[in-house]
Amino acid sequence: MVKWECTVCGYVYDPETGDAESGIEPGTSFEDLPADWTCPVCGATKEEFVQVG
């Protein structure tokens, strides 16, 4: 699965692990994240993420 990196702080969202702090289950693709999901480290919006890997 493709990973996504926050351009503000460098946090990498990995769909294989999800985001437990935000209640995002493992296996959730970036595209399927809620529209109001934000970076768990700095609070940046989805628009601030770029595809990596």
Side-chain angles (χ1 to χ4, degrees), residues 3-14:
K3 297 178 182 179
W4 293 78
E5 182 176 4
C6 177
T7 59
V8 176
C9 72
Y11 167 81
V12 175
Y13 175 75
D14 183 350

Side-chain angles (χ1 to χ4, degrees), residues 29-48:
S29 70
F30 187 79
E31 294 81 7
D32 290 336
L33 291 172
D36 62 350
W37 179 85
T38 58
C39 176
V41 175
C42 72
T45 63
K46 285 178 68 175
E47 289 77 25
E48 299 292 332

